[in-house]
Amino acid sequence: MRKEVYIIGSGFSALAASSYLAKSGYKVTVLEKNDSLGGRARQYKKEGFTFDIGPSWYWMPDVFERFFADFDKKPSDYYVLDKLNPGYEVYFGENSSLKISSKLEEIYQLFEEEEKGSSKHLKTFLDSAKANYDTAIKDLVYQPGVSPLELVNTTTIARVSQFFSTIKKQVRKNIKNHKLIKILEFPVLFLGAKPSNTPAFYNFMNYADFGLGTWHPRGGMYKVIEGMISLAESLGVQFKTNANVEKIITDTSKNVTGLLVNGKEIKTNLVLSGADYHHTETLLDKKVRQYSENYWSNKTFAPSSLLFYVGFDKKIENVSHHTLFFDSDFDLHAKEIYDNPKWPTDPLFYANFTSITDKTSAPEGKEAGFFLIPLAPGIVDTDELREEYFHKILDRFEKLTNQKVKENVLFKKSFCVNDFKSEYNSYKGNAYGMANTLLQTAFLRPKIKSSKVKNLYFTGQLTVPGPGVPPALISGKLASELIIKNQQ
């Protein structure tokens, strides 16, 4: 008789794990509490516009290729990728922006124009970043976080000093131009922490940026989800939506015996949760939870976000597919996320307009706009504050890009802290999980395998390797491998 496993949630990590487990002969059922699959990577459609609700950056294409290759498939079997050029654009002030080319030589040239001699330093920096990327992808991120010894080999020992310096120190050692500094420090924001708290080793994100480039799946990030669902279904995975898991049932010997789903008990002795880790533990009796509320409250969480999905009745000018607005005080905004949590005084923000390069996301002559403001998790979230900040960023957007857009808004939908909590059971409404600081890396993150409950496992952005879509794919692989190993 085939072993059976129930997976809670249907985000990237859960979908990845479902395919690996099904390939290994497991009968797999995925339970999703919402009415559509994809976890945080869902879609919003209105009046001919299509928005990715969650992740919007496609970086590290090699990780996606490796995932599909494990099933003798390629990403191109499921979706079409376009390399963006420019990869993104950064605004530093009114009529002051830099476009990051998809070609490395043009990036070197851009740096040299902004600061004489900086291209030489950038080349050295990227050599280190590529070496770290190779180390991370080959040796580190595919480790299950069970033991500190996973980090110890000749390659990592040679790089140990980079775990005790920071991205901020490394970037600013030789680069002095404030625009270039911001561009080099920006990628670690995907890891959910300040550059001053992120180990220098994570400069491999800069290689992911400049070396591998920024891509876009035609039709949006949800095309990746659809591809993963298609793969999973071909392997026999069953999906159930509107299936809210209310309790993980255990016996007196601390074995999983079942799940309470929509008020009905399902018997099972093997569960993998791709839902929020903290929330999953609240589904257990207190005596079998691994981590206390004090544990979670003392961890550094990645930001939450205020998001707006906006339909415009005209094409937007002077922007790129991905556009970052770094015209305000980066350090102040970071302090108001991590050190003194509050609504930001003058926030940095990000916008994307997929319809610039992907005509499927908006009707002809119109533009689909996605705006994101990073926020401290757990802060008060009201409709009035959302509206205030929408006007704040649109006022700045109009000034910086030298155009009027407010009167061209057909509709807008917002998503913020309260929605992350209600839609995803996200701890404090965080958007990206637990930050990858030095003390929250690898084996120091919450464990894949429960130490208290037999046959309960976890996957996703709060366990290894950490935040982001590529790490989520890897997390699903790691969790499934650990399950398979322990069930033999």
Side-chain angles (χ1 to χ4, degrees), residues 371-384:
F371 296 83
L372 181 154
I373 303 172
L375 297 175
I379 58 175
V380 173
D381 168 20
T382 67
D383 289 341
E384 292 76 18

Side-chain angles (χ1 to χ4, degrees), residues 1 6 14 84 156 202 204 230 267 285 299 301 312 361 379 382-383 396 398:
M1 190 169 122
Y6 279 84
L84 299 180
T156 56
Y202 284 104
F204 68 73
S230 176
K267 291 190 181 299
D285 292 333
K299 292 299 178 184
F301 273 80
F312 292 98
S361 60
I379 58 175
T382 67
D383 289 341
R396 270 174 51 205
E398 288 186 333

Side-chain angles (χ1 to χ4, degrees), residues 342-387:
K342 60 188 284 190
W343 280 80
T345 305
D346 192 17
L348 287 74
F349 67 97
Y350 154 69
N352 84 43
F353 304 91
T354 53
S355 41
I356 289 175
T357 51
D358 188 342
K359 306 308 177 188
T360 67
S361 60
E364 188 174 352
K366 300 178 181 179
E367 207 86 88
F370 170 114
F371 296 83
L372 181 154
I373 303 172
L375 297 175
I379 58 175
V380 173
D381 168 20
T382 67
D383 289 341
E384 292 76 18
L385 282 165
R386 296 186 190 197
E387 193 68 16

